[in-house]
Every structure is written in structure tokens, then in C-alpha cells.
Amino acid sequence: MTSSEMVTALEGVGDGLVRDAVSTATPPIALDPTSSPEALALDIPSDPADGVRLAVGDFSLTIGLPHSEDAASATSTEQGIVTYPSEGESANAVIPVAGGVQLLSVIETREAAESYSYPLTLPSGHVLETTPDGGARVVDSAGTVKAAFEPAWAKDAEGKPVPTRYVVHGGTLTQIVDHRHMSDVVYPVVADPLPVILIVVTAAAAIIVAAAALGIATWIVINWWNYCRARNMYPELSTRNGFTARCVR
């Protein structure tokens, strides 16, 4: 699959699921104008085998790309999307978004795999786990949420949902896309675990990153941050079905 074919597939998804790319130099928004929050560092590699790295303060997360052994070096498109063309049956795309990154698999044919694994390189003491709503998250030894993956989605070329789910094994997050089980699927299928959102990194920086990634008004985040912290909890953000917020331990 070529870079231009991948871009065409992503542009056809609709519903705002594929995010607009921004410069990787875009800083996170500030909750407190007097503070100096640590910036998000985002490294999208030329070699797909190196994985995508995100870091804020002393927390870093490297995410390997599915089937990277079949992928060519990165190609940056005029839309700001980084693609990894492939002669295989699927290919990867990475989109830098404000405060985070979006990872996508473009599935070209019925012969393509149904399993897309994202191996995570985590700091010591951190674990990857599923969540009751079908998502996944990274937590530290105290149970504090550091990063969150929204429940996965997948759509075919006509916008029909394709059954998909996560499987977690150790530090690997695998998205299962059951496209072969559909008799009327139209290829290519685009599958995505949604933007990686760093939730809790430091009191100064974590919620700033999440707010920037989701485009939420600063004053809403400030009030919500204070509400959760007053209960000795931390906030989670979602815009999957409209803006939702909850406090977690």
C-alpha cells in the first residue's frame, strides 16, 4: 500500500475519527499562566521498527508499530500524516496531534491479518491493563493512571463498523479486527485505538497534555482537576461520544 493510498483511506473515514495533524513542536496548553509545565516530547521515527516515543517529565512511553517488519521507512505527507508504506496487506500511519499522537492501521485486503499488536516499553513498576469499558490504560505501582487508550474502533471504506476489541498480554496491547468475518466488508478498513493520551504524569503537566490532545476548554479542565484531586483521585478525559469526564484512583 502506497502513502497516497493510505491518505485516501484515512480521508474517507469521516465522523471526525481521524484527527488533524499538527506540528510536533506544538506545546501543551497551560492551566496556570504563572506555571511552566514540562512540554510533551514526541518522536516519530523514520524506521518503523524503532517505535513511537512520548515523554513528559520523568514518564516516557515507547509504542511499537504492528507488522513493522513489512514496512518501509517513514514518508511525511503534505497533510502532516506520517505513513509507513508496505508491500504487505496492511500498513501503519501516525498522526501527531496536539499533546499526543494517533496510531492507525490501514487494512488493504481480506488476506490481511486480524491481529495488530502495539508492544509498549514502560518505565519500571508500570503495567498495562484493560478497563471495564473496553479500553486500556497504563498505571504505576500506586495504581495511578499514566496513559489511556480509548476503546478501539474500525471502519470499512463505506463507513460500516467492523468488530474490534483489545487483548492485553504483558506489555503488549493488541487490537483484534474481525474483518474476515464480515461478508460485505469493503476495503480498505481503517482501525485505530484512538490517540494515546497521557493522563497523569505530574500535577503540573499531565492534565495539560490530555486537555490539549482532546481540545477541551482550559477552564473546564481546571475545575474538573480540582474536583477530582479534592477526592484524592485523578481525572480521565474522553470525547468518544461527546465530552465525558470521570475521576479514577
Side-chain angles (χ1 to χ4, degrees), residues 6-235:
M6 295 174 67
V7 170
T8 298
L10 297 179
E11 290 178 340
V13 171
D15 296 331
L17 291 174
V18 176
R19 305 297 178 89
D20 292 330
V22 301
S23 167
T24 55
T26 301
I29 60 175
L31 291 179
D32 180 356
T34 65
S35 68
S36 298
E38 297 172 274
L40 169 69
L42 174 61
D43 179 21
I44 301 176
S46 174
D47 185 345
D50 291 341
V52 177
R53 181 178 180 272
L54 303 93
V56 176
D58 61 358
F59 177 80
S60 65
L61 174 66
T62 300
I63 306 172
L65 298 176
H67 307 293
S68 60
E69 66 278 5
D70 297 326
S73 297
T75 298
S76 296
T77 71
E78 62 182 28
Q79 295 86 353
I81 301 170
V82 179
T83 63
Y84 296 92
S86 173
E87 294 184 359
E89 304 298 335
S90 66
N92 296 302
V94 179
I95 303 177
V97 299
V101 65
Q102 185 171 24
L103 309 172
L104 305 108
S105 293
V106 183
I107 302 170
E108 189 172 14
T109 69
R110 185 174 293 275
E111 287 69 38
E114 292 190 313
S115 177
Y116 296 84
S117 293
Y118 296 85
L120 274 58
T121 302
L122 301 171
S124 176
H126 290 65
V127 297
L128 173 69
E129 62 184 22
T130 56
T131 58
D133 63 358
R137 63 189 182 186
V138 174
V139 299
D140 66 12
S141 58
T144 301
V145 180
K146 293 294 188 73
F149 295 81
E150 291 281 340
W153 61 262
K155 288 197 172 187
D156 78 354
E158 293 185 344
K160 295 190 298 290
V162 177
T164 185
R165 65 191 186 281
Y166 286 144
V167 174
V168 168
H169 181 72
T172 298
L173 178 69
T174 299
Q175 182 178 6
I176 306 298
V177 185
D178 293 321
H179 63 96
R180 294 178 181 172
H181 294 70
M182 295 179 63
S183 60
D184 58 347
V185 65
V186 179
Y187 294 90
V189 170
V190 176
D192 177 37
L194 284 184
V196 179
I197 303 165
L198 301 189
I199 299 296
V200 176
V201 180
T202 68
I207 198 63
I208 299 170
V209 173
L214 295 175
I216 299 167
T218 303
W219 68 271
I220 294 176
V221 177
I222 293 173
N223 291 336
W224 180 47
W225 171 269
N226 291 335
Y227 175 85
C228 291
R229 292 307 295 133
R231 288 156 178 77
N232 197 31
M233 301 175 75
Y234 291 91

